[in-house]
Amino acid sequence: RLQTWAMRMSLCAITMVLSIGMIRFNKYLMHEDRFPHAFTLAAVHLGLATVLSSSLYAVCPGLFPALPAAKTQAPHVASAMLTISA
């Protein structure tokens, strides 16, 4: 039980550190002299995240326990995503 809790907390901490690192790096990149293309950076990030999550789902679907519920509501999820991205 303690080992499971420690593993979850470690994964949360790793996720937070990676997220903070990516945000800081993007902030560093978004400078006139470095990489002033915000849309390109966001599009590449979104595409890469989609490919990696899909690959991870294909290899180990057990890591996505909420996905079967989301699949039954796919039209609603898709329309919400389109609304958010527009």
Side-chain angles (χ1 to χ4, degrees):
R1 193 131 166 88
L2 181 61
Q3 186 178 8
T4 302
W5 181 83
M7 177 62 100
R8 287 181 182 168
M9 290 299 112
S10 297
L11 289 174
C12 287
I14 289 169
T15 301
M16 288 174 63
V17 167
L18 289 174
S19 180
I20 290 168
M22 185 179 66
I23 290 167
R24 301 271 306 176
F25 183 67
N26 286 348
K27 185 177 179 181
Y28 167 78
L29 274 181
M30 290 284 107
H31 189 271
E32 191 74 28
D33 298 330
R34 292 187 194 106
F35 191 79
H37 309 288
F39 178 78
T40 304
L41 184 65
V44 168
H45 176 238
L46 180 63
L48 187 60
T50 301
V51 168
L52 292 176
S53 341
S54 299
S55 301
L56 189 59
Y57 180 69
V59 172
C60 190
L63 293 174
F64 300 85
L67 199 56
K71 281 186 176 181
T72 61
Q73 300 174 358
H76 302 296
V77 172
S79 65
M81 288 176 144
L82 287 174
T83 304
I84 291 171
S85 65

